[in-house]
Amino acid sequence: MTTLRQRRASKGKESAAAAEVHCVFCVPAGDWSWGSIIWTSVGLSVSVGLGLLCCIYVATLHENDLWFSNIKELEREISFRTECGLYYSYYKQMLQAPSIQEGLLELIHDNLTESRRTINLLQRMNIYQEVFLSVLYRLLPIKTYLEPVYFYIYTVFSLQAVYVIALYLTAWLLSGSWLAGTLAGVWYILNRVDTTRVEFTISLRENWSLPFLALQVATITCYLRPQLTSFQQVMVWLMYVTTFCFCLTWQFNQFILLIQALIIYTLDCVDLLTTTQVTTLYLVQVSGLLSVWLLQFCNSMILGSLVLSFIVAALFVRHCQVSSDDKALQVRSDEHIFKFIKSKFALRPTRDFDASLYLCEEAFGLLPLDTLERLADTLLLFPYVPTLLLLSGTLAVAAFRNLRYAAAQKKGAAEAFRSDVAYNLLHTLLYGLVAFSTMRMKYIWTGHMCAVAAHGMCSAELWTLLLRTLRCNSRTLLRIVRCAVPLLIVGFLYFKFWPKLMNELSELREFYDPDTVELMTWISTKTPKQAVFAGSMQLLAGIKLCTGRVLTNHPHYEDKDLRDRTRQVYQVYARRSPEEVYGILRAAGADYVVLENSICYERRHRRGCRLRDLLDLANGHIMDGPGENDPDLTPAEHPRFCEAIQTDGAAYTALFSRTFQNKTFHVYRLKKKRRKTPRSPAEPAATP
């Protein structure tokens, strides 16, 4: 059982007997015999092997899906879809710069990403990883052996190896058996569909940051382990480094750390962490965030984050939370996230365009039930749920008794629960709730879920509790069960899934998107290099990467002014007059506008969630097609722009000229309005 009776003064320490049982397949404290060292070395080697296996697995899937090694450079760049292309474009831009210093200056004073604006990309976006890789590629003597794109994607795939190793170590630390780590790594690989999407969204910020988050959890687990003395200072520094790397690589770091801070606060409230541990963990978070704040040129989104306000309140006012008004900092960059959260849990629908844009995407919906079916198919769900219930029950008992002793102000025995286990339990519970509410966040939960389930299968405390219940508890039987159960599970998974994995790796596909290739080729060869393009966020990211042209808007949505401009540019898919659309595009500095049939005639989303519906609702217009409309909506005075412009009506041809079209895209150039010069009174009128 995870809970042990101890004196309050010795909270967080295990007995020698418990430590002995806890250290199967690891080096017990003070035991540095050759046998123990070799056995531990085997465990570390297995962790590296599983990490490399995962890395090679996702890299092979990526190659087989696109035939990446055989397609042209333009097609490779197009394969970086949506915001992935935007981030990769800065890596490409740094490599093409005459020098590293000039490349950095171009990023700090960028006027290509948003037309008529000069922005500091290092402040606005989390692209230090692209900067670091580009500098590394320029300095290392590998240019003749490895193309820049391969250096980039192989680095991201290598982080998957780091992710697996971190989960392996977490499970090993929790259970004391590296067999648990093996089980966690195998589960992560077999549940690839639900644990990562790196093979087709390489540049997404989460693929850079989540491995560092997993490393941070592993270091926190080690820091909270009982009897950790000699390496405590080392663990604190490792926690800082991993927290810093996690925060530097993902713009949503503050929301993840906020949940982590809530976990620390909860454990502090129920007396499962010492004051030193609580203060250290909070200061590590604050130090990581402030370091990133400095590197991002004092980004107000970080300084005004809720997690910093919460930590300050938790440290200085332990018994109550002092609210902080972020409006004093004029923080508007992340207000769309709060709109989304508010609308998601509201009882009635919203017409806010930004919130609806998220709510209508499947990735931001509830977790589909087929996810649980897949997790059950790999046997991950079956040990995870009992482990969760059992640990939650014992934690609740320990917390209740600690609170009771605190209320009675007794100095006697209190119920102790291993703080490293308690932290990981609350971690998986809270992030599990987040995953169920928002499907995209499942990738934070499912990886850690593998470590918790593996801990349940190899935990000495949990198996001891079960064997005692069955009245057959003995040390020999305990060791046999802890070894046999994970080995049997790994063996079963091997025979069930190995043929499927081999079949999956044998499936060969090829990148095929001729319409986009044709569009990018035309833009590169037929338009001026300083031409400004308007269109959908996703497409413009690809235009930035493939052609280097100037954009009006892009997918990095963490800026209030950019969101307002995007909503205005998207009026090309609304019911607006050609004069209104022309004025909007001219105000954004656009020379060309790209219209997509897949958006104008969208069928992917249901009615009310199509982009044109969101625009109609925001503009107060009745939506297309059969169905109900709110009574306050009115019919639009003009036809839908993206449809009407294709009729080549006089009102449209006077302002726009079609310069390119294929089955998917229509490109129109904005004509320059001719200024009418007033005629002199003495000038004779023209005769008919």
Side-chain angles (χ1 to χ4, degrees), residues 222-235:
C222 188
Y223 173 73
L224 296 179
R225 276 175 59 84
Q227 300 176 336
L228 179 69
T229 54
S230 55
F231 297 104
Q232 199 167 42
Q233 195 65 32
V234 176
M235 286 299 108

Side-chain angles (χ1 to χ4, degrees), residues 36-55:
S36 298
I37 293 174
I38 292 173
W39 199 238
T40 302
S41 300
V42 171
L44 293 174
S45 301
V46 172
S47 72
V48 174
L50 282 172
L52 292 175
L53 179 63
C54 181
C55 172

Side-chain angles (χ1 to χ4, degrees), residues 286-463:
V286 172
S287 301
L289 284 169
L290 291 182
S291 298
V292 174
W293 175 70
L294 289 173
L295 276 179
Q296 290 195 299
F297 297 83
C298 305
N299 189 328
S300 61
M301 184 175 174
I302 297 175
L303 196 60
S305 62
L306 287 178
V307 62
L308 283 180
S309 302
F310 179 85
I311 290 174
V312 170
L315 283 174
F316 294 100
V317 191
R318 302 282 291 274
H319 58 278
C320 66
Q321 182 175 352
V322 179
S323 61
S324 61
D325 191 357
D326 288 338
K327 291 182 180 178
L329 297 170
Q330 296 184 346
V331 180
R332 302 183 301 163
S333 300
D334 55 356
E335 67 177 8
H336 62 299
I337 302 298
F338 298 107
K339 286 182 180 179
F340 161 71
I341 296 173
K342 181 179 179 181
S343 302
K344 187 176 182 67
F345 299 103
L347 298 178
R348 57 190 182 89
T350 180
R351 292 185 187 175
D352 183 82
F353 179 78
D354 296 328
S356 299
L357 207 59
Y358 283 99
L359 290 171
C360 286
E361 287 298 324
E362 183 182 3
F364 293 93
L366 299 177
L367 186 72
L369 294 179
D370 62 349
T371 303
L372 301 180
E373 294 176 2
R374 290 191 297 270
L375 297 176
D377 190 47
T378 60
L379 302 184
L380 174 59
L381 195 63
F382 296 119
Y384 175 76
V385 173
T387 300
L388 203 62
L389 294 175
L390 190 57
L391 290 178
S392 298
T394 52
L395 176 61
V397 171
F400 174 76
R401 290 179 177 175
N402 284 356
L403 291 174
R404 186 182 64 181
Y405 282 120
Q409 295 183 348
K410 295 182 179 180
K411 297 182 180 180
E415 193 78 10
F417 191 99
R418 277 179 51 198
S419 53
D420 56 338
V421 175
Y423 173 83
N424 281 274
L425 173 61
L426 293 184
H427 183 102
T428 193
L429 279 172
L430 292 186
Y431 287 110
L433 292 175
V434 173
F436 272 92
S437 67
T438 306
M439 186 184 72
R440 184 175 178 178
M441 305 304 290
K442 72 176 180 179
Y443 301 103
I444 302 176
W445 173 58
T446 47
H448 188 259
M449 181 184 182
C450 299
V452 173
H455 162 61
M457 289 295 92
C458 301
S459 170
E461 294 93 338
L462 296 180
W463 279 116

Side-chain angles (χ1 to χ4, degrees), residues 607 623 625-630 633:
R607 184 177 185 269
M623 294 183 290
E628 297 182 356
N629 290 281
D630 292 339
L633 297 177

Side-chain angles (χ1 to χ4, degrees), residues 456-477:
M457 289 295 92
C458 301
S459 170
E461 294 93 338
L462 296 180
W463 279 116
T464 299
L465 176 62
L466 179 60
L467 293 176
R468 282 178 180 172
T469 305
L470 299 175
R471 300 179 183 275
C472 57
N473 183 38
S474 69
R475 179 168 296 185
T476 302
L477 182 59

